[in-house]
């Protein structure tokens, strides 16, 4: 037990020395003092605390608390989380290749979305299949985490999966061999209307730049005249893959991103190394608040070099560099923030100054992501290659801001398995699947008005209910009006407003019909055509995609944005 403590203390002391802080005598003294205090506290706890301490648990909590006070990306991975670290770094794991989720009505874990060309899909598993057992282990009363751990294992190992298929009521047995699963980086690509190519990139996994290059050249051979790269909801990944993708469109020898840290080895420069394949084709990059890290390097450098118009909403602002696997004693690893990213204009994309946040909160965590952003009026000004003004202060601000349609509250509750105890949407979709062995192509599929009316009646009969935001706001307003003495004088108005806001589920289902139809269509298309089909189907209603198409069809407007005129 003490070996673990001493190893931890030794590592911490060495780490402080390695980062060049021993020249500050006061700092060195404070490091040594606090290490000694920590050691003494644990020694006394271990000796005298009323219960026997679990060293891994107690010290693990201490380590996690220490790291969480720094930033969200510096993390400790003990030896038993080695597979989790590998999956985070590579995007690979060994399993069956399917999303699973907890069915609130059945109180059981079910198959949600098998991935195309993966063991689950190849075995014939379907959406809604109830997982009964894995080998000899019963799964009917287990959590999603527990079931997931049993579905995963060493690649090449085989297990027996028993399920119940709700569309037939039959129990079925499958013998499945686990494989190394790597989520596809590209969900969907293809040439759409007016010769505009579209590619949805979900992550910057190892090798994704080759896939993007292959898809781009294929579309170009098919007559693509303009290109939309969709990085929305792409949380990033390998920096080198981002540089390689940008290199497809900008000349060789161009600096794409610099990293700057405390140590010289934490500072580096990434340049394009090969000749580009296209420097002229008009490009729009779609982004949103979940576009982060390597995605921001990609869209930010394309913006700084005036090679593409960035469209959507401001990106996340993850500009911190991590050393992903610093070895620790006893086969542990540390994912450690060592520097910041700087894109071609010289700006940093990091949104939050965690050091300042700690100082303002007395060394504790706190503050909100957006509350800590620097206002644009106080951000530093930088310039693109064409002299356009851009700013730091967090994330990439798009050249053209297009807000997406917001999801109505009722649709959010219907589509969220954790919120709707009736599971009425899933049940209706399973019934639809039973009646329809096939559906129209993904680009054309839609829910008819008659089908939606059937769904509406199912919802009304199911007992579905949800928290209405307008009702909650009205309750709060009444409470404050009473507290401040205004309620009695406005009671008639409050009563009238309450009457108008009376819950009417049928009305709300009619009012939000088109949005709910789109959710139903997306779910069903993913069953028949997997995720690529869902992405293709969703483009029909995508405001940001439609605006990208409009802009690319107006070359003068596109060029004017890049020239800053």
């Amino acid at each position: 037990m003490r070996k673990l403590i001493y190893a931890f203390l030794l590592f911490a002391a060495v780490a402080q020395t390695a980062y060049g802080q021993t020249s500050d005598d006061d700092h060195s003294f404070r490091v040594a003092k606090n290490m000694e205090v920590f050691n003494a506290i644990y020694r006394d706890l271990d000796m005298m605390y009323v219960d026997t301490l679990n060293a891994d648990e107690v010290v693990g909590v201490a380590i996690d608390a220490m790291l969480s006070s720094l930033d969200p990306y510096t993390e400790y991975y003990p030896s038993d989380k080695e597979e989790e670290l590998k999956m985070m770094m590579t995007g690979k794991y060994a399993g069956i290749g399917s999303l699973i989720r907890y069915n609130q009505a059945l109180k059981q874990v079910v198959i949600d979305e098998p991935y195309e060309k993966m063991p689950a899909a190849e075995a014939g598993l379907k959406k809604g299949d109830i997982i009964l057992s894995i080998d000899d282990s019963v799964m009917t009363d287990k959590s999603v985490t527990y079931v997931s751990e049993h579905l995963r294992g060493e690649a090449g190992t085989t297990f027996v999966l028993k399920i119940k298929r709700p569309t037939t009521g039959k129990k079925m047995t499958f013998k499945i061999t686990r494989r190394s699963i790597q989520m596809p980086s590209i969900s969907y690509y293809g040439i759409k209307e007016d010769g505009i190519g579209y590619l949805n990139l979900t992550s910057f996994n190892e090798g994704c730049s080759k896939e993007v290059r292959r898809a781009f050249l294929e579309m170009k051979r098919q007559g693509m005249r303009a290109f939309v790269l969709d990085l929305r909801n792409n949380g990033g990944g390998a920096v080198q893959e981002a540089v390689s993708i940008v290199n497809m469109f900008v000349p060789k020898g161009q600096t794409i991103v610099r990293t700057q840290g405390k140590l010289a080895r934490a500072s580096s420069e990434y340049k394009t190394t090969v000749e580009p394949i296209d420097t002229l084709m008009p490009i729009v990059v779609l982004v949103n608040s979940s576009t982060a890290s390597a995605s921001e390097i990609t869209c930010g450098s394309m913006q700084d070099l005036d090679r593409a118009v960035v469209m959507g909403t401001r990106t996340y602002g993850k500009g911190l560099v991590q050393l992903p696997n610093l070895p620790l004693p006893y086969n542990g690893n540390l994912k450690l923030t060592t520097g910041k990213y700087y894109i071609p204009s010289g700006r940093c994309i990091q949104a939050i100054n965690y050091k300042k946040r700690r100082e303002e909160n007395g060394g504790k965590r706190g503050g909100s992501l957006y509350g800590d952003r620097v206002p644009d009026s106080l951000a530093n000004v930088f310039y693109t290659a064409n002299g356009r003004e851009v700013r730091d202060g967090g994330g990439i601000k798009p050249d053209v801001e297009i807000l997406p349609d917001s999801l109505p509250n009722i649709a959010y509750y219907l589509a969220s398995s954790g919120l709707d105890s009736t599971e009425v949407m899933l049940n209706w979709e399973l019934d639809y699947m039973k009646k329809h062995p096939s559906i129209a192509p993904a680009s054309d599929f839609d829910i008819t008005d008659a089908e939606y009316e059937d769904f509406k009646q199912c919802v009304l009969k199911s007992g579905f209910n949800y928290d209405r935001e307008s009702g909650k706001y009205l309750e709060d307003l009444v409470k404050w009006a009473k507290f401040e003495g205004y309620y009695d004088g406005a009671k008639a108005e409050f009563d009238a407003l309450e009457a108008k806001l009376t819950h009417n589920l049928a009305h709300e289902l009619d009012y939000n019909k088109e949005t709910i139809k789109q959710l139903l269509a997306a779910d069903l298309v993913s069953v028949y055509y997997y995720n690529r089909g869902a992405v293709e189907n969703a483009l029909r209603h995508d405001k940001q995609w439609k605006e990208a198409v409009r802009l690319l069809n107006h070359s003068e407007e596109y060029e004017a944005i890049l020239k800053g005129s």
Side-chain angles (χ1 to χ4, degrees):
M1 186 182 299
R2 286 190 173 86
K3 286 183 179 179
L4 180 61
I5 301 299
Y6 293 143
F8 166 63
L9 295 174
L10 177 61
F11 163 73
V14 170
Q16 295 292 344
T17 302
Y19 280 83
Q21 295 176 325
T22 53
S23 59
D24 185 336
D25 292 340
D26 180 61
H27 177 82
S28 298
F29 168 73
R30 285 186 284 113
V31 170
K33 179 188 76 172
N34 284 287
M35 291 298 178
E36 188 174 351
V37 169
F38 180 89
N39 189 25
I41 290 174
Y42 190 87
R43 181 192 63 217
D44 292 343
L45 288 173
D46 187 38
M47 185 183 306
M48 294 183 287
Y49 188 69
V50 62
D51 297 320
T52 301
L53 299 182
N54 181 320
D56 291 344
E57 179 182 333
V58 174
V59 178
V61 169
I63 294 172
D64 290 342
M66 175 178 66
L67 299 182
S68 67
S69 71
L70 304 177
D71 65 71
Y73 315 111
T74 298
E75 298 177 281
Y76 168 55
Y77 290 85
S79 58
D80 61 349
K81 291 188 176 182
E82 184 177 4
E83 289 302 315
E84 182 181 332
L85 177 63
K86 285 182 180 178
M87 181 181 172
M88 183 274 297
M89 292 172 59
T90 65
K92 298 178 181 178
Y93 69 94
I96 67 170
S98 175
L99 291 177
I100 60 175
R101 73 172 180 86
Y102 192 76
N103 186 305
Q104 294 288 335
L106 300 175
K107 306 300 181 187
Q108 296 183 64
V109 177
V110 301
I111 297 292
D112 189 42
E113 184 183 339
Y115 300 134
E116 190 172 11
K117 298 179 181 179
M118 297 297 177
E122 291 173 351
L125 293 175
K126 302 292 184 182
K127 183 183 184 71
D129 286 348
I130 304 164
I131 299 175
L132 301 178
S133 66
I134 298 173
D135 285 332
D136 296 327
S137 300
V138 176
M139 296 289 149
T140 52
D141 59 346
K142 299 299 189 292
S143 67
V144 169
T145 300
Y146 185 91
V147 176
S148 178
E149 289 173 350
H150 282 70
L151 289 173
R152 293 184 181 184
E154 293 293 326
T157 57
T158 299
F159 68 97
V160 175
L161 176 67
K162 292 182 180 179
I163 62 101
K164 180 178 180 180
R165 181 150 293 168
T167 54
T168 63
K170 294 181 179 179
K171 292 183 179 180
M172 306 171 70
T173 300
F174 299 88
K175 191 174 183 180
I176 301 178
T177 300
R178 298 178 179 93
R179 289 209 311 258
S180 179
I181 307 296
Q182 180 168 358
M183 299 305 299
S185 298
I186 299 175
S187 289
Y188 167 78
Y189 72 92
I191 297 181
K192 310 305 288 182
E193 59 264 36
D194 302 321
I196 296 175
Y198 171 87
L199 187 145
N200 182 285
L201 187 67
T202 60
S203 64
F204 284 80
N205 290 342
E206 183 180 344
C208 74
S209 58
K210 294 180 180 178
E211 296 177 33
V212 173
R213 181 186 181 92
R214 184 163 49 247
F216 181 87
L217 289 174
E218 179 185 329
M219 290 189 288
K220 194 172 181 180
R221 285 193 296 270
Q222 294 172 354
M224 176 175 63
R225 66 170 186 83
F227 179 53
V228 175
L229 176 61
D230 191 347
L231 297 181
R232 292 173 295 181
N233 303 311
N234 186 322
V239 174
Q240 186 57 58
E241 297 296 329
V243 175
S244 296
I245 288 174
V246 176
N247 196 171
M248 292 170 53
F249 309 111
V250 303
K252 179 181 177 180
Q254 176 69 56
T255 297
I256 301 302
V257 61
R258 292 184 301 105
T259 64
Q260 186 172 323
K262 186 180 296 182
L263 297 181
R265 64 182 181 181
S267 301
S268 57
E269 190 172 75
Y270 294 83
K271 292 188 175 185
T272 52
T273 57
V274 298
E275 294 300 329
I277 58 177
D278 195 306
T279 59
L280 299 175
M281 183 175 292
I283 299 174
V284 169
V285 182
L286 297 179
V287 298
N288 64 7
S289 61
S290 295
T291 301
S293 191
S295 293
E296 294 176 290
I297 292 172
T298 302
C299 68
S301 59
M302 296 278 272
Q303 184 182 58
D304 282 356
L305 299 172
D306 297 305
R307 184 60 189 90
V309 170
V310 178
M311 180 181 292
T313 56
R314 188 191 285 269
T315 64
Y316 183 85
K318 199 271 188 182
L320 298 178
V321 186
Q322 280 74 48
L323 178 65
N325 56 344
L326 183 67
L328 295 179
Y330 302 98
N331 300 315
N333 283 278
L334 183 66
K335 181 162 73 76
L336 176 65
T337 297
T338 58
K340 294 181 179 180
Y341 291 124
Y342 295 85
I343 51 178
S345 64
R347 55 182 169 148
C348 179
I349 59 180
Q350 177 59 25
I352 300 173
N353 184 333
Y354 288 101
K355 181 179 179 181
K356 181 179 179 182
R357 175 189 282 188
R358 290 195 303 275
E359 291 170 351
E360 292 175 347
N361 290 279
K364 301 177 181 178
R365 300 182 77 183
S368 67
L369 172 63
Y370 293 100
D372 285 337
R373 286 186 183 273
V374 177
D376 283 344
S377 59
L378 299 179
N380 298 303
V381 175
F382 297 84
Y383 296 94
T384 70
N386 286 340
R388 293 188 296 143
E389 185 177 295
V390 290
R391 295 175 181 265
D392 62 6
I396 303 300
K397 185 177 180 181
D399 301 307
V400 180
E401 184 177 38
I402 303 293
L403 298 177
D405 290 325
S406 58
L407 190 66
N409 204 31
I410 185 174
Y412 177 73
Y413 272 77
L414 281 168
S416 300
S417 61
L419 297 177
D420 177 21
S421 61
T422 71
E423 295 282 2
V424 62
M425 179 175 279
L426 174 62
N427 292 335
W428 187 85
E429 290 169 354
L430 293 176
D431 187 58
Y432 187 97
M433 291 161 52
K434 182 179 179 180
K435 297 175 182 176
H436 297 81
S438 63
I439 61 173
S443 59
D444 302 323
F445 178 75
D446 203 355
I447 299 295
T448 66
D449 289 342
E451 289 166 344
Y452 184 77
E453 182 62 29
D454 180 64
F455 172 74
K456 172 185 169 182
Q457 295 305 317
C458 288
V459 174
L460 294 175
K461 296 172 184 176
S462 69
F464 169 79
N465 197 9
Y466 74 100
D467 292 330
R468 295 171 300 120
E469 292 299 316
S470 58
K472 289 194 287 187
Y473 280 114
L474 180 59
E475 289 178 9
D476 287 342
L477 183 60
V478 168
K479 181 182 70 174
W480 285 107
K482 288 180 178 179
F483 178 76
E484 295 177 350
Y486 295 109
Y487 179 76
D488 291 341
K491 187 176 184 306
E493 287 81 357
F494 275 115
D495 290 343
L497 184 58
E498 184 176 10
K500 287 184 177 294
L501 295 179
T502 298
H503 187 49
N504 186 331
L505 185 57
H507 165 75
E508 291 168 26
L509 287 167
D510 287 337
Y511 184 77
N512 296 290
K513 174 181 176 179
E514 292 306 315
T515 299
I516 298 173
K517 282 177 63 177
Q518 292 169 28
L519 292 175
L520 291 168
D523 268 3
L524 289 169
V525 166
S526 69
V527 172
Y528 296 88
Y529 300 107
Y530 301 98
N531 189 48
R532 59 180 168 81
V535 172
E536 184 179 13
N537 183 266
L539 289 178
R540 300 179 313 138
H541 312 286
D542 190 330
K543 281 174 56 177
Q544 293 166 329
W545 156 251
K546 289 181 178 180
E547 177 58 23
V549 170
R550 189 204 66 78
L551 178 64
L552 290 169
N553 281 325
H554 291 78
S555 57
E556 291 183 1
E557 184 180 347
Y558 174 88
E559 292 296 335
I561 292 173
L562 293 182
K563 292 177 181 177
S565 56

